[in-house]
Amino acid sequence: MSDFPETLFIETTTRCNLSCAMCARCQPGWEGGFGDLDFGLFERLGEPLRHARAVVLNGMGEPLLHPDLPRMVRFVKQRQPEGGWCGLQTNGLPLDGGLARDLAEAGLDVACVSHDGEVDLGHGPGRPGGLGDPLERAAALLRHASRETGRPMRIGVETVLMRGNVGSLPALVERAASLGLDFLLASHLLPMDADSEAEALFLPVSAASLALFSRHQADAQAQGLDLGAVPRGAAMFPRSPADQAFLDVFLRMRDEAREQGVWLNVVRLAAVDQGERARLADIFGEARNRARALGLELRLPPLTAPDRPQDRRCPFMERCAAFIDWRGRVSPCHFLWHGHQCRVLGDRKRVDARHFGDISATPLEELWRDPEFVLFRDTVRRAEYPACGDCGAALCSDVSGVSGPFERDCLGLEVPCGHCPWSVGQLACLGS
């Protein structure tokens, strides 16, 4: 076990110049508050920064709004070990030439600019007009500042993939390359309400369960049956010939799934639009081909969950990450950083923040080594939690959290990771 975190996510502010409907801080149930990280509190991270190979200076707000941001970057780079990097994600709108230069001079290594695509995200007040294309403008300002100061900076774009914009992904790859960007980071949407679920592309079921179900569904349809519509007669006696034929196919599928260790949520699998899946695969393939030809680093999320529960991974545990919010409280991961509400597996989900102390009272390195925090990280790394997306039951109360804070899952584990959208690859961000 490392005595210090190797990756630090430091929330500079929860204030933002936009009010996007897709953001948890703009939804009912947000408990993160609104404010800026005090620089005096930030300085308490001086020793951990000497061990941090990656530092990301943003959380649930717009980092460019913090008045001390260049000073924070300089503080990080004066302490970070050789080869370490400091970066941030931004909507780019508050950026001007002076701020871009200040950040470059301070040593900012990576800047990732968000891109809305073609979907109306309900930004609300705060989006200024007359600035032209925000991505093109921010990229030009950052490139110019990097050249002017002689400080290299990796500049990229992040986009959230949805039904309304995924078709333009290959074009976005070409545009990013034409702007001289280094990388494109794509993530799926985490729905905040029932309406936004219609835009979500990610399937929480595993590719193995989808392939197995599709094969047996084809067998059933050849007999005029549908595995997605379990007839009442299949559980009744006497059965009709059609009921028995349905049951035969269903049991063959169940037995094969059991032999392969595959969990099946038949209702969720039956609702999958195979035509859309094929179209998405084609779009992703075209985007990869264009990125390869143009020399652009492209990171795309998977379209389904990992095949086996043990294949799921927590990028934050793998990177030995610690999260510090603007108040100084320490959390283990992005999902548990703040209390909020969202939609998971088709139901309302209440997320309660998980804190392991406060750097205003205790040095981060002491909190990091606390046995309770160590046990949490070790439990997550073992990835022995349930595969909630493939579970055939409804979203249980432990997962939904609407009846009270999470205590333990159906396997008795006290880490709420079986349904985490990060561990299945649904969500991605700079540093994950």
Side-chain angles (χ1 to χ4, degrees):
M1 179 193 73
S2 173
D3 288 336
F4 290 86
E6 296 177 4
T7 303
L8 291 177
F9 290 80
I10 305 171
E11 184 170 64
T12 58
T13 183
T14 50
R15 295 185 299 118
C16 189
N17 52 320
L18 300 178
S19 299
C20 302
M22 64 189 295
C23 179
R25 56 182 289 283
C26 299
Q27 297 295 318
W30 169 252
E31 294 181 353
F34 300 95
D36 295 347
L37 176 63
D38 180 76
F39 190 81
L41 191 57
F42 181 79
E43 288 181 304
R44 291 181 64 85
L45 296 170
E47 184 58 28
L49 286 170
R50 300 184 190 280
H51 305 267
R53 300 187 179 279
V55 177
V56 181
L57 293 177
N58 57 273
M60 294 300 293
E62 170 50 56
L64 298 187
L65 295 183
H66 198 294
D68 291 323
L69 184 62
R71 188 181 175 194
M72 289 176 166
V73 173
R74 183 172 290 106
F75 187 86
V76 171
K77 296 308 297 180
Q78 288 172 345
R79 289 157 180 80
Q80 218 174 4
E82 184 177 356
W85 62 271
C86 176
L88 55 81
Q89 290 174 272
T90 172
N91 60 47
L93 295 174
L95 192 66
D96 58 27
L99 180 54
R101 181 182 177 87
D102 289 344
L103 290 171
E105 287 182 335
L108 185 69
D109 298 297
V110 183
C112 187
V113 183
S114 60
H115 176 73
D116 297 344
E118 301 172 357
V119 177
D120 179 9
L121 302 177
H123 293 289
R127 175 174 282 281
L131 293 180
D133 182 342
L135 175 60
E136 183 176 353
R137 176 178 172 275
L141 289 170
L142 292 167
R143 280 201 319 271
H144 178 74
S146 177
R147 288 196 301 265
E148 189 178 30
T149 60
R151 302 293 297 266
M153 184 188 304
R154 278 173 52 80
I155 305 170
V157 57
E158 178 196 22
T159 189
V160 177
L161 300 176
M162 294 170 275
R163 282 192 167 85
N165 70 5
V166 68
S168 62
L169 177 62
L172 180 58
V173 168
E174 292 191 350
R175 184 157 168 251
S178 72
L179 293 175
L181 301 185
D182 299 293
F183 64 90
L184 190 160
L185 169 62
S187 174
H188 285 295
L189 172 72
L190 177 63
M192 290 292 117
D193 52 34
D195 290 339
S196 63
E197 280 188 304
E199 282 292 325
L201 297 170
F202 182 75
L203 275 178
V205 300
S206 69
S209 69
L210 182 58
L212 191 152
F213 176 84
S214 299
R215 188 169 64 255
H216 287 277
Q217 174 73 305
D219 184 17
Q221 290 175 342
Q223 302 178 57
L225 307 170
D226 180 9
L227 287 179
V230 181
R232 181 173 180 270
M236 300 293 289
F237 292 95
R239 294 193 183 100
S240 69
D243 292 338
Q244 187 61 53
F246 174 92
L247 191 59
D248 290 343
V249 176
F250 194 91
L251 292 179
R252 283 199 299 273
M253 178 179 69
R254 183 205 64 183
D255 292 343
E256 184 176 342
R258 182 179 295 168
E259 291 172 2
Q260 297 178 11
V262 174
W263 294 26
L264 292 175
N265 183 316
V266 175
V267 173
R268 188 168 290 133
L269 290 166
V272 173
D273 183 339
Q274 295 289 0
E276 180 185 61
R277 292 295 105 185
R279 184 177 73 90
L280 291 176
D282 289 343
I283 292 172
F284 275 34
E286 178 62 22
R288 290 191 180 97
N289 290 337
R290 296 192 191 186
R292 191 179 304 113
L294 295 168
L296 180 77
E297 179 184 328
L298 175 63
R299 179 179 168 191
L300 294 177
L303 292 170
T304 57
D307 281 348
R308 301 175 302 169
Q310 59 266 38
D311 291 333
R312 286 172 296 169
R313 49 177 289 274
C314 175
F316 308 121
M317 299 303 123
E318 289 184 353
R319 288 165 174 74
C320 295
F323 289 70
I324 299 90
D325 74 3
W326 67 277
R327 293 187 176 103
R329 299 175 299 184
V330 179
S331 294
C333 64
H334 205 298
F335 200 47
L336 303 180
W337 211 348
H338 296 294
H340 64 281
Q341 290 182 183
C342 59
R343 301 282 293 186
V344 171
L345 305 179
D347 277 306
R348 181 164 64 98
K349 161 70 181 172
R350 171 74 221 166
V351 179
D352 290 288
R354 186 73 176 267
H355 299 130
F356 289 93
D358 191 320
I359 63 170
S360 64
T362 308
L364 176 60
E365 53 267 37
E366 291 187 21
L367 299 175
W368 179 256
R369 301 166 195 160
D370 182 271
E372 184 180 355
F373 199 176
V374 173
L375 177 61
F376 184 99
R377 299 196 301 271
D378 288 344
T379 304
V380 174
R381 286 193 189 100
R382 286 196 296 271
E384 295 173 344
Y385 29 84
C388 296
D390 285 318
C391 178
L395 191 68
C396 63
S397 59
D398 290 329
V399 171
S400 69
V402 296
S403 60
F406 177 88
E407 294 182 1
R408 58 185 57 84
D409 61 28
C410 59
L411 301 183
L413 298 179
E414 297 179 355
V415 295
C417 302
H419 56 286
C420 174
W422 298 90
S423 72
V424 295
Q426 177 180 354
L427 301 185
C429 65
L430 188 66
S432 70

